[in-house]
Amino acid sequence: MADARHTKVLIIGSGPAGYTAAIYASRAMLNPILVQGLQPGGQLTITTEVENWPGDTEVQGPDLMVRMEAHAKAMGAEVIADYISSVDLSKRPFTAQSDSGTVYTCDALILATGAQAKWLGIPTEEKFKGFGVSACATCDGFFYRGKEVVVIGGGNTAVEEALFLTNFASKVTLIHRRDTLRAEKILQDRLFKNPKVDLMWHHSVEEVVGTEAPLGVTGVRARHVETGEITLVPCDGFFVAIGHAPSSELVKDQLDLHHGGYVKVTPGTCNTSIPGVFAAGDLTDHIYRQAVTSAGMGCMAALDAERFLAEQEE
Ligand code: FAD
Ligand code: NAP
């Protein structure tokens, strides 16, 4: 028989939003359970230096997330390594089915499932994934010592990935479809000053090219977005850094979404379209998508859940 666990507050996700919600819900004596998912610690575990977490001039992303987990546990949250495969929000208590077989039920649910890297969606990208195509320089950069790599994108992630890769690669080409970057000015400044970085403006990537045996990347075919001219850029690794999409798969048919899949909340709250279900962090934020704003929303979600449960008891 499936294991069943009931909790007043179930938190799905272990990024800054989930752990902050767990800290606040624990301090409200709600004994929350937090389910970590496949990426314990969330997106910050795949980066290196974080320079905008208040109180730390510089902190390693994975270290920060280990501290957040310890903090949540110290306040009394139960942190479980499990993955939620489906949820039923049609009636309370809400139900969450997990991969381990445990069925969690809860009186209030906090969704903090964050976001995941977007891919270009071209067939050759899929073919070479794990064989020269990556969306995580921190994870795979080490394999490109003394080699040439290409990064595509123009946001903070792309620029940070490109800069990080200069620690290993002999040359990093950043391909962007416009001629201005979205990335923070401080990052742009570092990028423009780095002698290992080449910039290729007004280009998209239409194909990854490589060898069959062994499977491996030898270059990317870049297209000038205005003239259509094709340039073959030789490289051993291709890093896709074109943004992130919200991980709303679990609830896409049950909650109101907007802006391409972000969970809709009532402005100024974390209330979703179902009373008792709250959303926080990158899952609901199509504008800021920062660690500190996610943590802030985690706090709000826990306070909203506490208020909701108190009203139910009355
Ligand atoms: P996430 O961190 O995305 O965590 C989501 C969590 O949900 C994960 O633990 C995952 O395992 C869990 N989950 C998902 N689905 C399920 C499921 N079905 N069941 C159970 N659990 C599930 N922001 C900054 O402020 N400063 C930076 O320097 C910075 N650097 C970054 C560098 C990179 C490379 C990236 C990708 C992002 C960076 N960001 C940075 C953005 C920041 O990481 C995010 O804004 C923040 O992590 C979002 O937090 P979150 O809690 O909403 O979700
Ligand atoms: P982002 O800010 O959405 O930028 C995505 C970039 O990819 C944009 O430059 C976009 O081009 C480009 N792009 C999108 N689709 C493309 C396609 N199909 N082909 C080619 N290029 C494409 O995403 P992000 O850089 O991953 O950042 C996500 C969030 O995390 C942001 O809020 C960011 O601030 C945060 N973050 C923060 C830090 C930090 O604080 N240091 C670090 C990393 C991430 P256009 O510009 O033309 O739209």
Side-chain angles (χ1 to χ4, degrees):
M1 208 180 97
D3 196 12
R5 293 287 311 272
H6 182 77
T7 176
K8 282 184 189 156
V9 178
L10 178 68
I11 300 163
I12 308 180
S14 57
Y19 283 141
T20 308
I23 292 165
Y24 275 79
S26 300
R27 286 173 51 80
M29 304 306 230
L30 294 171
N31 304 319
I33 288 180
L34 179 150
V35 178
Q36 289 180 305
L38 299 178
Q39 190 178 47
Q43 292 172 66
L44 284 188
T45 59
I46 58 159
T47 190
T48 49
E49 292 90 10
V50 175
E51 295 179 347
N52 49 17
W53 181 256
D56 286 310
T57 311
E58 186 181 303
V59 58
Q60 295 292 312
D63 291 347
L64 179 60
M65 296 319 298
V66 166
R67 279 166 37 195
M68 281 196 208
E69 178 179 348
H71 191 167
K73 284 178 174 167
M75 292 298 121
E78 187 178 351
V79 175
I80 299 180
D82 203 351
Y83 178 82
I84 302 299
S85 48
S86 64
V87 291
D88 180 357
L89 309 181
S90 62
K91 55 183 183 308
R92 289 182 58 229
F94 305 117
T95 308
Q97 174 70 55
S98 77
D99 269 5
S100 70
T102 303
V103 177
Y104 300 90
T105 54
C106 60
D107 301 320
L109 176 65
I110 296 178
L111 298 162
T113 49
Q116 285 169 340
K118 278 189 201 163
W119 296 93
L120 289 169
I122 51 178
T124 44
E125 170 190 64
E126 192 57 39
K127 174 177 171 181
F128 290 107
K129 253 184 211 172
F131 297 91
V133 172
S134 169
C136 178
T138 322
C139 321
D140 300 328
F142 190 68
F143 300 120
Y144 298 95
R145 274 165 298 164
K147 298 187 171 171
E148 298 192 2
V149 297
V150 168
V151 177
I152 184 165
N156 277 337
T157 302
V159 174
E160 283 193 345
E161 301 269 272
L163 285 169
F164 181 72
L165 286 164
T166 60
N167 294 320
F168 311 97
S170 55
K171 181 178 167 193
V172 178
T173 304
L174 182 78
I175 297 181
H176 182 40
R177 61 187 179 184
R178 297 185 294 123
D179 63 356
T180 45
L181 299 169
R182 273 176 202 277
E184 288 170 9
K185 294 288 179 277
I186 189 169
L187 294 174
Q188 294 193 30
D189 194 43
R190 285 179 203 159
L191 185 84
F192 297 149
K193 282 183 183 151
N194 195 305
K196 281 192 181 176
V197 175
D198 251 16
L199 289 144
M200 202 168 171
W201 300 118
H202 296 298
H203 278 80
S204 59
V205 167
E206 61 163 34
E207 192 187 353
V208 183
V209 292
T211 52
E212 292 295 329
L215 203 56
V217 170
T218 54
V220 295
R221 221 181 284 283
R223 173 188 286 273
H224 194 287
V225 293
E226 282 153 15
T227 64
E229 190 187 336
I230 302 289
T231 307
L232 179 68
V233 187
C235 65
D236 303 284
F238 176 50
F239 289 82
V240 180
I242 59 165
H244 287 80
S247 305
S248 53
E249 191 64 20
L250 266 186
V251 293
K252 69 176 173 27
D253 299 323
Q254 300 180 68
L255 292 179
D256 288 353
L257 308 180
H258 63 165
H259 298 291
Y262 289 86
V263 172
K264 195 172 177 182
V265 291
T266 309
T269 76
C270 290
N271 301 346
T272 68
S273 49
I274 296 183
V277 180
F278 306 90
D282 279 14
L283 173 68
T284 175
D285 175 13
H286 67 284
I287 300 173
Y288 304 105
R289 295 172 297 169
Q290 302 294 305
V292 70
T293 45
S294 297
M297 282 186 258
C299 157
M300 289 165 63
L303 296 179
D304 287 342
E306 183 188 3
R307 206 164 298 130
F308 170 80
L309 291 171
E311 281 166 10
Q312 297 301 307
E313 277 174 23
E314 278 168 20

